[in-house]
Amino acid sequence: MGGRMHTKSDSEVTSNSMEQSSPARSPPRRPLYYVQSPSNHDVEKMSYGSSPMGSPHHHFHYLSSPIHHSRESSTSRFSASLKNPRNFSSNWKKLHPHPQHDADHDDDADDGDDLDRSSRNLRLYFCFFLLFLMLFTLFSVILWGASKSYKPRLIVKSMVFENLNVQSGNDGSGVPTDMLSLNSTVRIVYRNPATFFGVHVTSTPLQLSYYQLAIASGQMRKFYQSRKSERKLRVVVLGHQIPLYGGVSVLGNTKEHLESVALPLNLTFTVRSRAFILGRLVKSKFYRRVRCSVTLHGNKLGKPLNLTDSCVYK
């Protein structure tokens, strides 16, 4: 009986070690680990009169089952944590992480998801914009190409010389020379065959010349021609007191007999047509250069001259 009185269970030993090693104010006990004392059969195998903590020369190993080993290791870890409060608190922190840290981690994950989502949306919007730009460009090119098949038509119908006058005079610097005055009218038909756009029409001055010498000119007023329509134009071409300087030898000897004059002239001008198909985003331009050969007969003043077959269009 005396020997059995000195025998202590593991729970008593752990309790005594806690009382001896714990400071005055020990940390609160938390049910983290559960310690189970060995069975009576294991206690009987231990040497009487000595405790497991007091006899370092005797080592007992529970080899019967892995459960005993896990119990012993958990008991030793719990005892060590009780001896050192800092290790106990650190283990407690590891087992129970701070909830604020988890919340921050969740917020970071949410922020990462939001960034990925916004990046995907940005790429999607950019792809849509690029697709729209490509389709719009293709549509504009198709419209521009289709508009080229609707070139405006221009026909110079006739020209009338109302009067012709040649007399002696002085130019601006006082040099004496023959002076020519001419008045004529040109009739033009302009047609826009386009089915889906109108055109804005302008023209260079209509110039009437004798070889390289310009003797008359006129200006066509700009206008707008709607789709599938035509317009008849009347342009006045005149010259007033144009110095000849002997350049028109045909008129030099016939100032008094103008009825017998036959003066070859050229009428030249360029018509510019601009089409705005999609506002000002798609523009189509057309140029029409006209050159007409006409002969002024002094005995046909006031009579229209047919120029339908006398003009070249480029």
Side-chain angles (χ1 to χ4, degrees), residues 33-313:
Y33 302 93
Y34 294 90
V35 180
Q36 184 176 357
S37 61
S39 62
N40 294 330
H41 179 71
D42 296 331
V43 173
E44 290 177 359
K45 292 181 179 181
M46 298 171 63
S47 61
Y48 297 100
S50 61
S51 64
M53 300 297 293
S55 58
H57 299 284
H58 297 279
H59 302 279
F60 297 94
H61 301 280
Y62 298 95
L63 302 176
S64 62
S65 174
I67 301 176
H68 296 290
H69 180 71
S70 62
R71 289 175 180 174
E72 182 178 317
S73 60
S74 62
T75 303
S76 60
R77 285 196 300 269
F78 184 73
S79 301
S81 63
L82 291 178
K83 290 180 181 180
N84 192 352
R86 293 182 179 178
N87 294 334
F88 181 81
S89 61
S90 63
N91 293 331
W92 172 256
K93 291 181 181 179
K94 291 180 180 178
L95 291 174
H96 298 279
H98 200 275
Q100 183 66 29
H101 176 72
D102 293 339
D104 294 339
H105 181 70
D106 294 338
D107 293 339
D108 294 339
D110 294 338
D111 294 339
D113 294 338
D114 293 338
L115 290 176
D116 293 339
R117 191 179 298 108
S118 62
S119 179
R120 288 195 299 269
N121 293 336
L122 184 61
R123 288 195 297 268
L124 185 62
Y125 293 151
F126 178 76
C127 291
F128 277 133
F129 174 76
L130 187 61
L131 179 61
F132 171 76
L133 187 62
M134 293 175 62
L135 292 177
F136 179 77
T137 303
L138 179 62
F139 181 68
S140 301
V141 170
I142 292 174
L143 286 179
W144 181 83
S147 67
K148 290 301 181 181
S149 61
Y150 295 97
K151 293 182 179 181
R153 298 176 182 174
L154 184 69
I155 300 176
V156 180
K157 299 294 290 185
S158 62
M159 185 173 184
V160 179
F161 292 97
E162 278 83 10
N163 59 64
L164 175 64
N165 185 18
V166 179
Q167 62 183 10
S168 299
N170 298 321
D171 62 1
S173 61
V175 176
T177 184
D178 293 333
M179 310 294 289
L180 181 144
S181 296
L182 175 67
N183 189 6
S184 63
T185 303
V186 179
R187 288 180 172 86
I188 302 171
V189 176
Y190 183 93
R191 178 174 174 78
N192 178 23
T195 58
F196 58 94
F197 61 87
V199 291
H200 298 265
V201 184
T202 58
S203 174
T204 60
L206 280 72
Q207 185 169 319
L208 191 63
S209 60
Y210 175 78
Y211 295 101
Q212 300 299 323
L213 177 63
I215 61 176
S217 65
Q219 181 64 52
M220 180 191 299
R221 291 182 299 177
K222 60 182 180 180
F223 59 92
Y224 173 79
Q225 192 66 37
S226 59
R227 59 189 182 90
K228 299 185 68 175
S229 62
E230 69 176 21
R231 177 180 304 226
K232 295 180 179 180
L233 304 171
R234 181 175 178 271
V235 182
V236 176
V237 180
L238 57 85
H240 179 69
Q241 297 294 313
I242 304 298
L244 299 179
Y245 301 111
V248 186
S249 58
V250 178
L251 298 176
N253 300 325
T254 59
K255 289 186 287 185
E256 297 178 357
H257 305 281
L258 294 178
E259 292 82 3
S260 60
V261 172
L263 187 65
L265 301 173
N266 291 320
L267 178 68
T268 57
F269 62 98
T270 301
V271 177
R272 296 174 294 187
S273 304
R274 293 179 299 169
F276 300 104
I277 301 173
L278 288 178
R280 292 186 176 271
L281 296 178
V282 180
K283 300 178 183 179
S284 187
K285 297 180 180 181
F286 306 93
Y287 294 91
R288 197 72 165 173
R289 296 176 178 86
V290 182
R291 179 185 177 92
C292 299
S293 299
V294 58
T295 301
L296 191 160
H297 294 279
N299 57 356
K300 293 183 179 180
L301 294 178
K303 296 178 181 180
L305 301 176
N306 189 3
L307 299 180
T308 305
D309 299 327
S310 302
C311 296
V312 178
Y313 305 93

